[in-house]
Amino acid sequence: MRRIGGRDIVAAMLIALLAGAIFTSPPLQALQGLSLDILTAMRAKLAGERRDPATSPVVVVAIDGETYDTPPFKGSPTQTWTREIGRVLGSISEGGAKVIGYDVIFPSSIEQSEIPFGEAPLGARMRGFDRDYLIALRQLSDAGKLMLGEILSNDHPERPYRAQQLAVRTNIRALNVHTDADDVIRRMPLSFSIDGKPVPAMAVELAARALGAKPGIAPSGATELSGYAIPSAVPNTLTLNFRGLGRDVPTFSFADLRACVEKGDRDFFRRAFDGKVVLLGSVLNFDDRKLTSMRLSGGYDGTPAARCALPAPERAAQRARSAVAGVFVHATVIRNLIERDAVTELGFSARSILTVVFALLVACAACMLAPGGALIAWLGLTAIYAAVALGAFVHALALPLAEPALASLAALAMMIGYRFVLADRDERFLRKSFAFYLAPEVIDTMVASGKMPALGGEMRNVTMFFSDLSGFSSIAETMTPGELVTLMNEYLSAMTDIIEAHGGYVDKYIGDSIVAMFGAPADDPAHARNAVRAALKCHEKLAELNAGNAAFAGHGLSHRIGLNSGEAVVGNIGSRRRFNYTVMSDTVNVASRLEGANKYYDTAIMASETTMAQTGDTFAWRELDAIRVQGRGEAIKVFEPLAEKAAATDEQTKVAAAYAEGLACWRARDFAKAANAFESVATIDPASSMFAKRARVFTASPPPPEWAPVNTLEGK
């Protein structure tokens, strides 16, 4: 996972703001509607909400295909249906309906027909045909149980013909709908301004009469009905909640109800319409179809209700359709108002903030993860957010869905572009620079640490690792070039793998020598421990190669390793045209001298006091001596790592104790006692054997009083 800095956070914030501003801007306002459509479809598919049509406060009386195919309506113009409509509406009212609304308009009457019929127009011969119908309208209107519909328009208004207007007086309300820019109905108007006064829309008026209340204005400024403040994201509209996809509205065929009137079954009307709001509307495949927020899920033209007189016609199973009959849009408004179940949408500010925050979250993920991982993170976060949005929509709260999803995807793409062009430029350079001479895991650690080596050099606390094969020149003289190359490749590969596995960086190979450092270029607080551990592993590995590798057979190779920790200059050093990542300082020189100092003690690994101190109590050590190397006046205490502390053997512990006793006596000028201590383990420890000889020499010929217990080495 990539580590992010302050610049990355600022970039993520700017990218999120830009993406959020774009996808919530007015030109992309259609995304708000798309969110409603998707949420409606998700709720239908995943939440599976189904409501019992019997609980619906509104029912539909459908002028459907069955009506057009059933006598006396078959082959008759709709103007001649008015008497039968009046009879059916009268029975519905007597059955206890609260109020009846027209979603059909009869703009003319058969009595107005000017078609010649004999010596006079047809209308003159049909005079009085609508009398019973108009009387029924007047009675229902006076009782407050009837509302006719009209279409308001400056160009082509549609109103009931004049006699109907006089019959119902002021009980006419607008049927106009609110369509978005994509011609989809997701909201419905609450009122219209007529002669400068707000007049409720048809569905609002019907709901108000059913509730016995009048629409008003709440303190918040929202339209209020019977104590319900109607949520309006778009002023003066209600956001439709198609919770049942239309299947929750019982639908009666007008033809069956007319036959029921003929049958005289008043109980049926009481069972079907008592306490209900009734809508009379057209439910035909070619008339008044509306695209709504159910266009993705599919909606239904109600649920066929119980029959009274006529047998149910044979029909195909009801299927979901992208467009529904307009009467069910008005029915949904009525049900939303009575049940206080309209959708609440977030305002522009809240939608924008939510979109920006989600885009910021994804942008930060894209900043930390690789592109593939960031895409997976986007999918996961979007799925989680969609689940939250679905849960909210089940409770009639519409959170933006399309805007955050698309804005975050755009933020993902922009952040990947930002990283490629700017943020990861240094990382790519470093990966390319170190690819051929640094382990991939070390490069990853270096990049993740955020501490990149400064080009031109910087000071780092590092541990230097020098190794060299003992007496290799004489061995090489006995080998062919091919054998030599094979041997060196096997040896250097094995040692390099161990060094890199412990976080080290191989600076260079000098013949059979290896120069490596720990703590750079990758920042490693435990560089001293890792260097010592690598040295011990290299020593073990060489023993394995000598025992089991054919290229090493008969050569008995041994090597010396020197370790020293301290400040050093690391960086790309060289000419302007050609440089290498390397290290320079006295720390490097001392490590080189310690590697050579091993031959004076017949040891394999020698470390400085600074290296030993930085490892803590991880290893079992023994102090070898205090030495003065060539080119350096200051004495250095040197130590040999024996093993991991928990893995030290009894023999190693015994040798270390005897050696420590001998060294203490040596420094106290008690050379005889020192010799005895060293000789007690000299047969199993070459270093003790060498020190015992030196102690015997000083026993026979003590040094002068100004002697200091420091071994000044004569060579490298």
Side-chain angles (χ1 to χ4, degrees), residues 321-630:
R321 304 174 62 174
S322 58
V324 297
V327 66
F328 293 100
V329 177
H330 296 286
T332 300
V333 177
I334 295 169
R335 185 158 194 176
N336 288 167
L337 290 172
I338 292 176
E339 296 180 346
R340 303 187 176 192
D341 194 33
V343 170
T344 299
E345 296 183 81
L346 299 185
F348 175 77
S349 298
R351 286 199 331 272
S352 299
I353 291 173
L354 192 57
T355 299
V356 169
V357 169
F358 191 74
L360 177 61
L361 190 63
V362 172
C364 289
C367 194
M368 292 186 291
L369 303 173
L375 182 60
I376 293 173
W378 174 78
L379 290 171
L381 290 171
T382 301
I384 293 171
Y385 177 77
V388 172
L390 175 59
F393 196 63
V394 168
H395 294 89
L397 173 62
L399 299 178
L401 186 60
E403 301 99 305
L406 294 176
S408 60
L409 184 60
L412 171 67
M414 286 189 280
M415 179 53 74
I416 291 174
Y418 157 78
R419 284 181 58 181
F420 182 80
V421 175
L422 296 174
D424 293 349
R425 183 173 52 193
D426 292 342
E427 177 183 334
R428 289 196 303 275
F429 172 77
L430 289 170
R431 288 187 182 278
K432 183 177 179 181
S433 300
F434 290 103
F436 292 104
Y437 50 93
L438 197 61
E441 58 270 19
V442 177
I443 298 177
D444 292 339
T445 303
M446 177 182 69
V447 171
S449 72
K451 190 172 182 181
M452 305 298 182
L455 299 180
E458 64 172 338
M459 292 299 295
R460 287 276 190 97
N461 190 279
V462 299
T463 296
M464 292 304 302
F465 177 110
F466 267 78
S467 75
D468 186 40
L469 286 173
S470 305
F472 184 70
S473 296
S474 58
I475 295 175
E477 292 175 357
T478 66
M479 303 174 70
T480 66
E483 292 173 337
L484 180 62
V485 169
T486 300
L487 176 66
M488 288 308 304
N489 285 343
E490 288 288 335
Y491 170 73
L492 294 176
S493 295
M495 300 302 112
T496 301
D497 288 346
I498 293 172
I499 292 169
E500 291 185 344
H502 288 81
Y505 160 67
V506 175
D507 179 16
K508 60 178 70 73
Y509 303 111
I510 306 173
D512 59 295
S513 300
I514 300 173
V515 182
M517 61 178 148
F518 292 76
D523 191 27
D524 180 12
H527 56 82
R529 283 196 298 272
N530 286 328
V532 173
R533 192 169 283 120
L536 291 170
K537 292 292 184 182
C538 285
H539 190 59
E540 293 175 8
K541 185 64 178 179
L542 181 56
E544 292 178 14
L545 292 173
N546 282 326
N549 191 298
F552 289 74
H555 298 298
L557 294 182
S558 63
H559 59 186
R560 300 184 296 265
I561 299 173
L563 302 172
N564 184 38
S565 302
E567 297 293 318
V569 177
V570 295
N572 284 312
I573 299 170
S575 71
R576 293 184 181 87
R577 293 187 298 107
R578 184 172 180 178
F579 51 81
N580 288 320
Y581 188 84
T582 188
V583 58
M584 295 189 306
S585 81
D586 186 56
T587 301
V588 181
N589 298 330
V590 171
S592 174
R593 297 294 185 266
L594 297 186
E595 176 272 312
N598 277 290
K599 61 188 174 185
Y600 292 95
Y601 297 87
D602 203 6
T603 52
I605 306 171
M606 184 179 292
S608 67
E609 185 176 16
T610 54
T611 298
M612 185 274 296
Q614 290 189 35
T615 62
D617 60 352
T618 307
F619 303 98
W621 294 88
R622 71 166 167 175
E623 184 180 354
L624 288 172
D625 202 356
I627 65 174
R628 186 178 289 110
V629 298
Q630 190 175 22

Side-chain angles (χ1 to χ4, degrees), residues 274-290:
D274 186 33
K276 303 291 186 180
V277 177
V278 181
L279 280 171
L280 175 67
S282 172
V283 182
L284 298 170
N285 292 332
F286 54 84
D287 182 42
D288 193 31
R289 309 299 298 187
K290 307 291 186 186

Side-chain angles (χ1 to χ4, degrees), residues 183-195:
D183 292 327
V184 177
I185 299 170
R186 300 182 179 94
R187 303 166 190 86
M188 285 288 282
L190 297 173
S191 64
F192 299 92
S193 179
I194 300 177
D195 297 330

Side-chain angles (χ1 to χ4, degrees), residues 205-220:
E205 182 67 36
L206 294 176
R209 294 197 180 192
L211 294 169
K214 290 186 177 181
I217 303 298
S220 63

